[in-house]
Amino acid sequence: MTMPLSATVRVTLGLIAVALACLAFGDFEISTHDPWQALGRLFLGLIQPDFSSVDFLGEAILRTVAFAFVGVGLGAAAGMLLALLFQHLWVRTLCAFIRAIHELFWALIFLQSFGLHPITGVLAIAIPYAGTFAKVYAEILDETDPEPARTLPRRAGRLSVLLYARISQAWPHLVSYTAYRLECGLRSSAVIGFVGMPTLGFHLAGAFAQGHYATVGALLILFYVLIGTLRLWVRPRLLPFYLIAAPFCLGTGLPIVWSNVSRFFTHDIVPAPLRRGEGLEGLVPWFNDLFVQQALPGIWNTLLLTQIALVLTGILAMALFPLISRHFTGRLGGTAGHVLLVVMRSTPEYLLAFILLQLWGPSMLPAVVALALHNGGIIGHLIGRRSNEIALRQDAPRGVDRYAYEVAPRVYGPFLALLFYRWEIIMRETAILGILGIATLGFYVDSAIQEIRFDRAMLLILITALLNIGIDILARRLRAYLRLRHGINRQHC
């Protein structure tokens, strides 16, 4: 008589089966003539970086840091205000919508109105981060002990109760999460350079296009050092100085033409049939054509890539977490594993996909590998930390048996919870990789913008946001079905 499979095993096997089915429909061809030669040139650039252009490299890093501080600072401030109103359905809906749209999509939207101005990059980071901050801050405040509020005098106002009974309790958690989001902000700041902002991504794309791999290596190394030393140079005492100085380090950019801003939001993004006065009779065929010709293929490829990347992320995370677990590695091995995972999780998936596309050519393979490496590094790091909290008995087995029978079963629940939290994020990242030429929703958004069809672009971005919200709802229901709860679920970007 066979034992019935547990819910966790059934869900895991279901995800794997879907991913295997998706593999049959994907394009994973390497089309470059000699990818290994290109990879060797990149590796040579990493071990022989060119730091001679100090001013150029310094400016790239300075702009990256400045956009991160201003964007994350504004996002945190707006997020706290929204968190105080998070009990209202309209606030939760607004936050879910704005965080479902990737920073690059926001950047593309504001580029059409504000142009290459610092406000474009700042808003592209601040708006989605505000939605994320609001959700997490509200969760943190809701978890505070209600007893201190009852001890305050009856005449104490709502502001006093908020400051002295709730925020005072939650302050360490609020600070910890905000600091972590700053690391995410640095990655976002680097990525918006690929659409023209003067951050690291802009200079990296230029160096790659010119074949200056030594400069690429220098930029990447500086970025890894910047992320790796974050705790050393971002100190509480220095934060006020950084926040005050950052706006002055953004640069000036091109002047804003306010008539273009007004035209974009009142005319350009209005569906063409409505602009021409055709009404609903013209809107229906316009929408049907866009949905069938672009939205459906984009949704299909986005879902395809997401499911493959999700499962590959899980496999990598479960394979990599022992690298930093005290149950499997010593001090030296743990340090090396930590460095590897820092590099993996610090490299933005968009940046990694861009590099792999140059090496392997346009296909789904660079996107899947980039998503899996970045997200696998994040989850592997968090699960490795979680495994260090496990106390094993003295006669616990070693090697593979320790992994299979002692540690892996205990961290699998938190691992699945984190994977489901990353699901919506992987979906959002998959969509945006279309800007690089992969036929996901981002490809059709970018094509519509290139053709100056901003109404089509906005509708496709809206569809992307709704798709992300749907995946987030599905992931939450699966977490509830499997009763997955743990204390590190907020540490994700």
Side-chain angles (χ1 to χ4, degrees):
M1 182 176 179
T2 59
M3 294 181 61
L5 296 175
S6 69
T8 301
V9 174
R10 290 199 303 270
V11 170
T12 301
L13 292 178
L15 290 174
I16 293 173
V18 171
L20 289 175
C22 290
L23 281 173
F25 298 96
D27 171 24
F28 301 99
E29 181 184 2
I30 296 177
S31 57
T32 51
H33 177 65
D34 193 350
W36 294 110
Q37 182 181 6
L39 189 61
R41 291 172 61 194
L42 176 61
F43 180 74
L44 189 63
L46 288 171
I47 62 176
Q48 295 180 345
D50 179 15
F51 294 100
S52 59
S53 303
V54 178
D55 295 337
F56 152 69
L57 297 176
E59 181 183 355
I61 295 298
L62 179 64
R63 295 281 190 269
T64 302
V65 172
F67 275 103
F69 268 100
V70 177
V72 173
L74 289 176
M80 177 56 75
L81 294 176
L82 290 169
L84 301 180
L85 302 170
F86 210 71
Q87 70 273 17
H88 299 293
L89 177 61
W90 69 269
V91 174
R92 296 196 301 273
T93 303
L94 172 66
C95 292
F97 177 76
I98 61 177
R99 72 172 180 266
I101 301 176
H102 195 280
E103 301 90 83
L104 272 183
F105 278 147
W106 284 112
L108 288 174
I109 292 171
F110 293 122
L111 268 174
Q112 314 314 315
S113 50
F114 298 117
L116 287 172
H117 191 276
I119 195 172
T120 295
V122 169
L123 291 177
I125 297 173
I127 290 178
Y129 275 53
T132 303
F133 274 123
K135 178 177 181 289
V136 176
Y137 283 171
E139 290 177 353
I140 293 173
L141 292 174
D142 286 344
E143 292 170 3
T144 56
D145 185 358
E147 191 61 32
R150 300 190 185 104
T151 63
L152 293 175
R154 290 185 178 180
R155 64 178 182 273
R158 295 181 62 183
L159 182 60
S160 298
V161 172
L162 178 66
L163 290 175
Y164 297 110
R166 298 183 66 192
I167 291 182
S168 59
Q169 287 187 70
W171 186 251
H173 301 289
L174 295 172
V175 171
S176 175
Y177 181 74
T178 305
Y180 183 77
R181 291 301 298 183
L182 179 60
E183 178 184 331
C184 302
L186 286 170
R187 292 201 290 267
S188 299
S189 179
V191 165
I192 62 173
F194 284 90
V195 295
M197 294 293 100
T199 63
L200 184 141
F202 175 79
H203 298 287
L204 195 63
F208 240 116
Q210 299 174 49
H212 297 164
Y213 287 91
T215 303
V216 171
L219 285 167
L220 288 175
I221 289 172
L222 285 174
F223 186 64
Y224 294 142
V225 171
L226 188 71
I227 296 290
T229 60
L230 195 63
R231 294 184 180 181
L232 299 179
W233 56 272
V234 179
R235 299 297 181 91
R237 294 179 180 179
L238 295 175
L239 274 179
F241 168 75
Y242 289 143
L243 291 173
I244 293 172
F248 298 99
C249 300
L250 295 173
T252 55
L254 299 175
I256 297 175
V257 181
W258 291 104
S259 59
N260 291 343
V261 178
S262 176
R263 176 183 173 83
F264 178 77
F265 288 104
T266 61
H267 181 270
D268 292 344
I269 63 175
V270 176
L274 298 183
R275 291 201 307 264
R276 295 192 295 260
E278 298 175 7
L280 293 178
E281 293 181 358
L283 186 63
V284 172
W286 175 85
F287 175 81
N288 287 340
D289 177 69
L290 178 63
F291 191 77
V292 172
Q293 299 296 325
Q294 298 187 18
L296 276 181
I299 291 171
W300 169 254
N301 288 324
T302 301
L303 290 172
L304 201 74
L305 271 176
T306 297
Q307 296 312 114
I308 298 172
L310 181 74
V311 171
L312 187 55
T313 292
I315 294 171
L316 275 177
M318 289 300 291
L320 292 173
F321 85 82
L323 295 179
I324 62 168
S325 175
R326 63 183 177 86
H327 301 301
F328 301 99
T329 59
R331 187 172 182 178
L332 182 61
T335 301
H338 178 73
V339 170
L340 174 63
L341 292 183
V342 165
V343 170
M344 288 175 62
R345 74 176 193 267
S346 298
T347 307
E349 68 289 331
Y350 189 91
L351 172 58
L352 187 55
F354 174 82
I355 293 172
L356 294 177
L357 275 167
Q358 313 306 310
L359 302 177
W360 296 341
S363 76
M364 292 184 176
L365 182 62
V368 168
V369 173
L371 291 166
L373 287 176
H374 174 70
N375 292 285
I378 290 175
I379 298 178
H381 167 74
L382 295 173
I383 294 302
R385 284 171 48 189
R386 182 62 176 258
S387 72
N388 289 330
E389 301 172 5
I390 297 174
L392 299 179
R393 64 181 191 276
Q394 291 185 349
D395 61 340
R398 296 184 177 277
V400 176
D401 287 341
R402 171 175 289 191
Y403 175 88
Y405 298 109
E406 293 289 338
V407 180
R410 300 190 196 184
V411 300
Y412 198 73
F415 155 75
L416 270 185
L418 274 169
L419 190 66
F420 290 148
Y421 270 101
R422 298 296 304 180
W423 196 353
E424 178 263 339
I425 297 169
I426 291 173
M427 171 77 75
R428 191 169 68 235
E429 294 167 346
T430 301
I432 203 66
L433 292 181
I435 296 177
L436 295 174
I438 303 160
T440 61
L441 279 164
F443 173 80
Y444 296 102
V445 171
D446 189 52
S447 297
I449 290 175
Q450 296 298 326
E451 296 169 2
I452 320 181
R453 295 182 174 182
F454 302 127
D455 52 344
R456 290 174 172 258
M458 291 299 293
L459 180 58
L460 291 168
I461 289 174
L462 175 62
I463 291 172
T464 303
L466 294 176
L467 193 64
N468 278 296
I469 291 172
I471 287 293
D472 188 40
I473 292 171
L474 175 60
R476 284 204 308 269
R477 291 185 176 179
L478 282 174
R479 289 197 301 270
Y481 170 66
L482 299 177
R483 299 178 182 178
L484 299 175
R485 301 179 185 277
H486 59 96
I488 55 176
N489 54 36
R490 297 191 188 98
Q491 297 294 315
H492 64 284
C493 299

